[in-house]
Amino acid sequence: MVVNCEEVWREISSYLDGGIEPDLRLAMDEHIRGCRRCAAVLDGTRNIVQLYGDERMLEMPLGFSQRLQHRLEQENMPRSRRGFLGWMVAAAAAVLVAGGLEAARSSAFSHPELRSEHAQPGAGVPPNMLVVVSTDGKTFHAAGCPFIHDKAHIQTIQAREALRQGYAPCVRCMRKYLAS
Ligand SMILES: [Zn+2]
Ligand SMILES: [Zn+2]
């Protein structure tokens, strides 16, 4: 069996949750090994599902999902019948394909009230920004940061709350807020 990129994206949520024919899984493994784009989609999707596979996703800014939805329509991605998770997966794929998670992250999370104070580390991070913390880590991250360790215990909270709880901003993904 041979699958193309679109088939990989369509089936990626089944692939991740294991509900997939062994033949198809083999074919997808084969394809993903040789296709950097699909490998990136798979990585990003796994991340997003881990980050947002809970009710906190509902706290995402409204405009964010609307933009994704819009882009999805433009990209003509196949609509998934698997409900919310499937939709997220398709959205993740669309975003990744259209230019990487970086772009989605910066448009979703850049706030105008940036750079209000420089008094303490992390003060430049918009207080309402949703950030990811790992419950036994010491830093907070932007969603999708590759330096999030211990993905089993992550939590999405507001930057204000992360700072209050003593988390420090990740020097990689939060760099733009730390420059002063
Ligand atoms: Zn592919
Ligand atoms: Zn980070």
Side-chain angles (χ1 to χ4, degrees), residues 127-165:
N128 294 326
M129 179 171 147
L130 289 175
V131 298
V132 176
V133 298
S134 141
T135 45
D136 38 14
K138 291 194 169 57
T139 48
F140 64 84
H141 302 265
C145 173
F147 297 96
I148 300 171
H149 302 294
D150 190 20
K151 292 191 175 142
H153 297 107
I154 56 173
Q155 226 188 338
T156 307
I157 60 178
Q158 291 191 333
R160 181 197 290 121
E161 184 60 17
L163 287 168
R164 203 183 60 75
Q165 293 180 18

Side-chain angles (χ1 to χ4, degrees), residues 64 67-68 71 95 100-109:
F64 181 57
R67 268 199 301 277
L68 281 181
R71 187 178 264 171
V95 169
L101 266 178
E102 196 58 45
R105 198 153 61 212
S106 47
S107 63
F109 293 122

